[in-house]
Amino acid sequence: MTSLPAHAVATAHADNDRRTLPCRKKAMEMPKVSRDTATQGGDYGAVVDRCQEFGDYTVDFLTFREDVDHRPLLKGLPDDRCQCPHWGYVFRGELTFHYGDHDEVYHEGDAFYAPAGHVPVHIEPGSEYLQISPTDELRRTSEVIMKNFTAQEPPD
C-alpha cells in the first residue's frame, strides 16, 4: 500500500474523523459553452452557427435548415476539399461527407472524426450537430467558404 506524504494529509475533519487531501485555494475554471451561451457565429439563412473559440479550438453548434452541398463552397482550397479536421456529435439528422475513395454517413447519436480532405455533400434539413475544430485551420477554411457563399448570393 502506498502512503501519502505527511504534507498531503490534512488534520481530521471534526464532523467525520476522516483524513482529507488539502483543497486548492483557488478553483480552476474550465471553459464551457452551450448553443445558448455561444457568443460568435450567426444566422446565414440555410445554416445557423453558434460558436465559441477556446484558444486553439473552436466549438460550433450547427443547425442546417436546408441541404447544403459544400462542393461549390470549398472551391479554392487544396483539392477543393475542407482542410480542417473536425470532431463532432450528431444530435439530430444525417450528414454525408465525401472522402477521396468513399462516403461516410453520420446519423443521430453518432460521434465522428472527419480528417482534413473531406467534403460535406449532403446535410439533411433539420440536422443539428456539434463540431470541434482547430481554430486556425477552421478560420482559413471559413474565409474561403464565406467568400464563395457571398459570391453565390443573388444581388439585391
Side-chain angles (χ1 to χ4, degrees):
M1 174 185 244
T2 306
S3 61
L4 294 172
H7 69 276
V9 179
T11 58
H13 190 276
D15 293 339
N16 60 14
D17 198 31
R18 286 188 298 180
R19 298 198 177 266
T20 59
L21 295 176
C23 295
R24 290 185 177 170
K25 299 221 188 268
K26 182 179 176 186
M28 187 171 114
E29 284 192 37
M30 298 298 290
K32 66 178 181 176
V33 69
S34 71
R35 188 182 338 233
D36 297 328
T37 62
T39 61
Q40 300 163 328
D43 186 335
Y44 303 102
V47 180
V48 177
D49 179 11
R50 299 286 179 242
C51 64
Q52 190 75 46
E53 288 184 12
F54 291 126
D56 293 341
Y57 290 90
T58 298
V59 176
D60 290 272
F61 295 89
L62 296 154
T63 302
F64 280 76
R65 293 182 178 128
E66 300 172 19
D67 185 7
V68 176
D69 179 349
H70 283 67
R71 285 178 283 210
L73 300 174
L74 296 171
K75 293 281 185 204
L77 289 168
D79 298 323
D80 295 332
R81 296 177 177 279
C82 182
Q83 300 301 304
C84 181
H86 310 288
W87 293 261
Y89 180 81
V90 182
F91 296 113
R92 178 179 309 150
E94 180 181 283
L95 324 172
T96 304
F97 287 8
H98 178 73
Y99 295 88
D101 60 351
H102 72 285
D103 288 347
E104 286 287 337
V105 180
Y106 308 111
H107 302 275
E108 184 173 321
D110 286 346
F112 65 88
Y113 171 65
H118 65 276
V119 178
V121 293
H122 167 72
I123 300 176
E124 181 179 278
S127 292
E128 297 179 4
Y129 66 99
L130 169 75
Q131 174 178 283
I132 301 170
S133 315
T135 298
D136 290 340
E137 288 96 326
L138 181 63
R139 189 174 291 126
R140 287 190 294 270
T141 298
S142 294
E143 287 171 1
V144 172
I145 288 173
M146 290 309 294
K147 182 184 96 180
N148 290 332
F149 178 75
T150 303
Q152 286 182 339
E153 290 181 329
D156 291 332

